[in-house]
Amino acid sequence: MIIHLDMQSEVPIYTQLEHQIVEGIAGGKLKPGELLPSVRQLASDVGINLHTVNKVYTRLKQEGYILVHRQRGVVVNPEGMPSATSEFLEKQAAELRPIIAEAILRGMSRQELTEIMERIYTEIALPTKEES
């Protein structure tokens, strides 16, 4: 998986990295049980501070997307991904609220917003997963 970070973006580097790893897992580019680079290796490869990578790995571990083994290193969770709990759904709704509000302010229709979400879902999830 290739990581592309925009150092000029207003989005923090750790957020960009976290999103790209999550998208890689969701899209099947990173498979369950697949070894990820060490903190030092990934930091060196993408040219960022190792504490930034460590923060991302810690967050991904807390979410259940990766596991950290002392011998094997960092791996995509081989037992699958966590389910969409009610807490997760509430978190998603809270994160979507300002995006939807801004879309409304800019005159987007519900259909336009829905089409964008469907396009992004398809780009990430297919053809490696069946659309639910």
Side-chain angles (χ1 to χ4, degrees):
M1 180 175 154
I2 298 173
I3 301 290
H4 296 286
L5 300 176
D6 180 356
M7 302 301 184
Q8 305 305 315
S9 174
E10 292 180 14
V11 177
I13 293 169
Y14 78 90
T15 302
Q16 293 180 51
L17 181 58
E18 183 176 351
H19 289 172
Q20 288 190 36
I21 293 171
V22 168
E23 188 174 324
I25 296 168
K29 293 176 184 164
L30 295 171
K31 308 277 188 234
E34 185 171 338
L35 187 63
L36 297 176
S38 70
V39 169
R40 289 186 192 281
Q41 185 63 53
L42 185 53
S44 174
D45 288 350
V46 297
I48 59 175
N49 188 296
L50 64 93
H51 296 293
T52 302
V53 176
N54 192 49
K55 178 178 185 172
V56 170
Y57 279 0
T58 298
R59 291 168 57 104
L60 293 172
K61 180 182 173 189
Q62 290 170 343
E63 291 294 329
Y65 299 134
I66 64 172
L67 299 176
V68 179
H69 294 282
R70 292 208 180 264
Q71 290 87 12
R72 289 190 59 210
V74 180
V75 297
V76 176
N77 191 339
E79 298 177 15
M81 295 299 115
S83 61
T85 63
S86 60
E87 292 84 11
F88 174 79
L89 295 175
E90 289 174 18
K91 176 186 165 211
Q92 293 296 15
E95 291 178 4
L96 284 170
R97 285 186 78 80
I99 294 169
I100 293 168
E102 188 172 4
I104 292 167
L105 286 174
R106 292 179 175 258
M108 285 182 71
S109 70
R110 179 186 298 204
Q111 180 179 348
E112 289 171 318
L113 194 55
T114 301
E115 287 170 0
I116 289 172
M117 287 188 351
E118 288 175 353
R119 186 187 80 240
I120 293 170
Y121 185 96
T122 300
E123 288 171 0
I124 294 171
L126 300 176
T128 59
K129 293 183 182 175
E130 291 298 315
E131 191 168 342
S132 351

